[in-house]
Amino acid sequence: MLKIGELNDSFYFSLLIGLAGVVVGVAVGFGAGAVPVYVGLLLGVVAVIAFFFLRFEQAVLSLLVLRSSLDPFSAQQVPAAFAIGLDGLAILYVIVQILIRRKVHTDKFFWFFAGWVAFLAIWLVLPILGWGILGKTYLMDGIREWVRIFSWLMVYLLLMQLKGRIHPQKAITALFFSMIVPLTVGLLQVFTPSLLPPVLACKCVDSTIGHPSAFGSFLFLFISLTLWKLGHAPKRWPWMILLSLNAFLMVMTKSLTSLLMFTIFIIALIAPKLNPLRFIGGILFIVVVFYIFASTEFGHEKLNAVLETPIFNRELDLSRTILLSAGDGNSANWRIAQWTFLIEAWKQSPLLGYGLATSKFITIERNFAHNDYIRFLAEGGIIGLISFIVFLGVKMLHLIKCLRSSPVLSPRRRLSFIMIAIFVAMLVGMMTDNVWTHTTLFFYWYLLFAVLGWEPKYWKMERSE
């Protein structure tokens, strides 16, 4: 028998569905004679919303799995539409939960994350008020950047609502389905080079993620998760095959940043419990991956380019490096020049910078920063950079808290170790590349971040396979 509270919840939910049906009916009636295409689109949206509320767990996981296949349609604004649609569904779901007096799951990190995202909106308001060297020139770019970050917050919020409704390990395992399309396309590009985008002169594999470096970081994240699965999976051989396939494709992206992140990850992972076996195994794995990378012509050139920088070549100073970067084809020297130009530009607006997503417009290179810390310094000034560092620091503290609150040898504790190592690797990768722009990487990162934050009691739930 239904309790009074449950009966009221059911009544309010039915009332909301009824009102929504009336609104849709009126809209369809008025639109049928005007623009039939819009009517079809509206009915499609209604179907998605209905599925979202009636099969919430399946709908959320299906949408999250779908995200890794959308970047090839960026020219048609599909990823942007997906992000906005997902944001709308998350907000609508929370509103409905509040109206029918059901609990909305959040945690302390969510509110900190939400406060930081709200704080970033300052760099959208100030240009509207007439502040800044660039004024409103690149305001739309800033709005798109803010919405992109806001979408990660909504992903976090959505996953929090699955707490108690699905086992954490089952939710994480479902994410591996998001690899099916990227891995398939990546392998096709390896064995059928004609499928590679013409703009990629290096013949680097980018799959469905849109850029080789972004695909490399995506693979790096799932290599890390695969290692976690290997720690407690009853059948290890399927995960070993997946691990080998991911490592092979990560090398074929020819992304030195991804390999650097992977190296830092292995070091961070084995450092707390270092023993001869772990040390030898970690070193051998790193050596094999780098050997395969260096054996390619592109990889050999990349490694040589790093050696021809002021860090390793004492005959080069900063001024000469900047001069050479214009025509020597050395991407490492080009990065040093770009960082120098951005710092010089930042000095013109040191406190608040130039605004969100403006770093690619304020130097003669007209390109991304290739260093996320310098990017935040140029775009947000000293205040923006400090807020970014504080945000990263709180994330690390949250991961450590999850680690300490997990039982010894539990899957949650092992995942905490894995994610701390991933995070350390990401912090290093941000020094040499545009890791912050890797939308797909952070989409799944914050999804994992939310699941890890579920209290240990939810990890002890009986799994329903």
Side-chain angles (χ1 to χ4, degrees), residues 262-273 417 420-422 424-425:
F262 178 72
T263 302
I264 299 299
F265 165 78
I266 294 295
I267 294 172
L269 190 63
I270 66 177
K273 296 183 178 180
F417 268 121
I420 288 173
I422 293 172
V424 170

mmCIF file of all heavy atoms in Angstrom, residues 262-273 417 420-422 424-425:
data_model
loop_
_atom_site.group_PDB
_atom_site.id
_atom_site.type_symbol
_atom_site.label_atom_id
_atom_site.label_comp_id
_atom_site.label_asym_id
_atom_site.label_seq_id
_atom_site.Cartn_x
_atom_site.Cartn_y
_atom_site.Cartn_z
ATOM 1 N N PHE A 262 50.824 9.793 -19.456
ATOM 2 C CA PHE A 262 50.814 8.380 -19.100
ATOM 3 C C PHE A 262 52.038 8.022 -18.251
ATOM 4 O O PHE A 262 51.933 7.262 -17.276
ATOM 5 C CB PHE A 262 50.786 7.525 -20.373
ATOM 6 C CG PHE A 262 50.816 6.054 -20.111
ATOM 7 C CD1 PHE A 262 49.704 5.411 -19.591
ATOM 8 C CD2 PHE A 262 51.958 5.316 -20.358
ATOM 9 C CE1 PHE A 262 49.737 4.052 -19.335
ATOM 10 C CE2 PHE A 262 51.996 3.960 -20.106
ATOM 11 C CZ PHE A 262 50.879 3.321 -19.592
ATOM 12 N N THR A 263 53.194 8.589 -18.596
ATOM 13 C CA THR A 263 54.414 8.340 -17.823
ATOM 14 C C THR A 263 54.268 8.850 -16.392
ATOM 15 O O THR A 263 54.604 8.148 -15.428
ATOM 16 C CB THR A 263 55.620 9.021 -18.499
ATOM 17 O OG1 THR A 263 55.764 8.521 -19.838
ATOM 18 C CG2 THR A 263 56.904 8.753 -17.734
ATOM 19 N N ILE A 264 53.765 10.077 -16.251
ATOM 20 C CA ILE A 264 53.560 10.647 -14.921
ATOM 21 C C ILE A 264 52.542 9.821 -14.142
ATOM 22 O O ILE A 264 52.692 9.596 -12.921
ATOM 23 C CB ILE A 264 53.082 12.113 -15.029
ATOM 24 C CG1 ILE A 264 54.145 12.966 -15.746
ATOM 25 C CG2 ILE A 264 52.775 12.686 -13.653
ATOM 26 C CD1 ILE A 264 55.477 13.015 -15.035
ATOM 27 N N PHE A 265 51.513 9.335 -14.824
ATOM 28 C CA PHE A 265 50.495 8.512 -14.182
ATOM 29 C C PHE A 265 51.107 7.242 -13.589
ATOM 30 O O PHE A 265 50.840 6.896 -12.428
ATOM 31 C CB PHE A 265 49.414 8.149 -15.211
ATOM 32 C CG PHE A 265 48.503 7.037 -14.780
ATOM 33 C CD1 PHE A 265 47.479 7.269 -13.880
ATOM 34 C CD2 PHE A 265 48.679 5.753 -15.276
ATOM 35 C CE1 PHE A 265 46.645 6.244 -13.484
ATOM 36 C CE2 PHE A 265 47.843 4.718 -14.877
ATOM 37 C CZ PHE A 265 46.830 4.970 -13.977
ATOM 38 N N ILE A 266 51.929 6.554 -14.376
ATOM 39 C CA ILE A 266 52.550 5.319 -13.896
ATOM 40 C C ILE A 266 53.444 5.597 -12.697
ATOM 41 O O ILE A 266 53.423 4.881 -11.688
ATOM 42 C CB ILE A 266 53.363 4.648 -15.019
ATOM 43 C CG1 ILE A 266 52.431 4.166 -16.145
ATOM 44 C CG2 ILE A 266 54.183 3.485 -14.477
ATOM 45 C CD1 ILE A 266 51.479 3.073 -15.733
ATOM 46 N N ILE A 267 54.222 6.682 -12.770
ATOM 47 C CA ILE A 267 55.107 7.034 -11.661
ATOM 48 C C ILE A 267 54.301 7.352 -10.404
ATOM 49 O O ILE A 267 54.609 6.893 -9.299
ATOM 50 C CB ILE A 267 56.003 8.226 -12.047
ATOM 51 C CG1 ILE A 267 56.964 7.824 -13.175
ATOM 52 C CG2 ILE A 267 56.789 8.734 -10.839
ATOM 53 C CD1 ILE A 267 57.756 8.975 -13.747
ATOM 54 N N ALA A 268 53.233 8.156 -10.573
ATOM 55 C CA ALA A 268 52.398 8.527 -9.424
ATOM 56 C C ALA A 268 51.670 7.320 -8.845
ATOM 57 O O ALA A 268 51.426 7.247 -7.640
ATOM 58 C CB ALA A 268 51.391 9.600 -9.841
ATOM 59 N N LEU A 269 51.349 6.358 -9.703
ATOM 60 C CA LEU A 269 50.595 5.189 -9.257
ATOM 61 C C LEU A 269 51.458 4.236 -8.435
ATOM 62 O O LEU A 269 51.008 3.684 -7.425
ATOM 63 C CB LEU A 269 50.014 4.459 -10.468
ATOM 64 C CG LEU A 269 49.003 3.335 -10.196
ATOM 65 C CD1 LEU A 269 47.764 3.897 -9.515
ATOM 66 C CD2 LEU A 269 48.620 2.639 -11.493
ATOM 67 N N ILE A 270 52.704 4.042 -8.864
ATOM 68 C CA ILE A 270 53.550 3.064 -8.178
ATOM 69 C C ILE A 270 54.363 3.675 -7.039
ATOM 70 O O ILE A 270 54.882 2.951 -6.195
ATOM 71 C CB ILE A 270 54.501 2.361 -9.168
ATOM 72 C CG1 ILE A 270 55.510 3.353 -9.754
ATOM 73 C CG2 ILE A 270 53.707 1.662 -10.266
ATOM 74 C CD1 ILE A 270 56.524 2.703 -10.678
ATOM 75 N N ALA A 271 54.462 5.020 -7.016
ATOM 76 C CA ALA A 271 55.314 5.671 -6.016
ATOM 77 C C ALA A 271 54.897 5.377 -4.573
ATOM 78 O O ALA A 271 55.762 5.104 -3.727
ATOM 79 C CB ALA A 271 55.356 7.176 -6.261
ATOM 80 N N PRO A 272 53.589 5.414 -4.213
ATOM 81 C CA PRO A 272 53.221 5.192 -2.805
ATOM 82 C C PRO A 272 53.580 3.797 -2.288
ATOM 83 O O PRO A 272 53.831 3.631 -1.101
ATOM 84 C CB PRO A 272 51.704 5.410 -2.800
ATOM 85 C CG PRO A 272 51.423 6.233 -4.000
ATOM 86 C CD PRO A 272 52.412 5.777 -5.015
ATOM 87 N N LYS A 273 53.546 2.790 -3.173
ATOM 88 C CA LYS A 273 53.846 1.424 -2.748
ATOM 89 C C LYS A 273 54.923 0.837 -3.643
ATOM 90 O O LYS A 273 54.748 -0.207 -4.281
ATOM 91 C CB LYS A 273 52.571 0.560 -2.808
ATOM 92 C CG LYS A 273 51.482 1.003 -1.836
ATOM 93 C CD LYS A 273 50.285 0.075 -1.891
ATOM 94 C CE LYS A 273 49.207 0.493 -0.891
ATOM 95 N NZ LYS A 273 48.031 -0.415 -0.933
ATOM 96 N N PHE A 417 43.079 5.906 -5.696
ATOM 97 C CA PHE A 417 44.494 5.926 -6.060
ATOM 98 C C PHE A 417 44.663 6.222 -7.544
ATOM 99 O O PHE A 417 45.487 7.061 -7.951
ATOM 100 C CB PHE A 417 45.150 4.574 -5.733
ATOM 101 C CG PHE A 417 45.759 4.503 -4.369
ATOM 102 C CD1 PHE A 417 45.331 3.553 -3.458
ATOM 103 C CD2 PHE A 417 46.771 5.373 -3.990
ATOM 104 C CE1 PHE A 417 45.890 3.474 -2.185
ATOM 105 C CE2 PHE A 417 47.338 5.304 -2.722
ATOM 106 C CZ PHE A 417 46.900 4.355 -1.817
ATOM 107 N N ILE A 420 43.763 9.883 -8.383
ATOM 108 C CA ILE A 420 44.796 10.827 -7.923
ATOM 109 C C ILE A 420 45.966 10.813 -8.899
ATOM 110 O O ILE A 420 46.498 11.872 -9.269
ATOM 111 C CB ILE A 420 45.257 10.468 -6.495
ATOM 112 C CG1 ILE A 420 44.160 10.813 -5.482
ATOM 113 C CG2 ILE A 420 46.541 11.208 -6.141
ATOM 114 C CD1 ILE A 420 44.448 10.352 -4.076
ATOM 115 N N ALA A 421 46.366 9.616 -9.347
ATOM 116 C CA ALA A 421 47.458 9.509 -10.317
ATOM 117 C C ALA A 421 47.071 10.156 -11.652
ATOM 118 O O ALA A 421 47.886 10.842 -12.283
ATOM 119 C CB ALA A 421 47.828 8.040 -10.527
ATOM 120 N N ILE A 422 45.819 9.959 -12.084
ATOM 121 C CA ILE A 422 45.342 10.608 -13.316
ATOM 122 C C ILE A 422 45.409 12.119 -13.174
ATOM 123 O O ILE A 422 45.871 12.834 -14.075
ATOM 124 C CB ILE A 422 43.893 10.176 -13.634
ATOM 125 C CG1 ILE A 422 43.823 8.698 -13.993
ATOM 126 C CG2 ILE A 422 43.321 11.013 -14.788
ATOM 127 C CD1 ILE A 422 42.402 8.176 -14.125
ATOM 128 N N VAL A 424 47.253 13.997 -11.146
ATOM 129 C CA VAL A 424 48.644 14.478 -11.145
ATOM 130 C C VAL A 424 49.168 14.539 -12.580
ATOM 131 O O VAL A 424 49.825 15.516 -12.982
ATOM 132 C CB VAL A 424 49.531 13.573 -10.274
ATOM 133 C CG1 VAL A 424 51.013 13.925 -10.455
ATOM 134 C CG2 VAL A 424 49.149 13.687 -8.809
ATOM 135 N N ALA A 425 48.863 13.512 -13.371
ATOM 136 C CA ALA A 425 49.301 13.494 -14.778
ATOM 137 C C ALA A 425 48.666 14.634 -15.569
ATOM 138 O O ALA A 425 49.317 15.267 -16.403
ATOM 139 C CB ALA A 425 48.939 12.146 -15.405
#
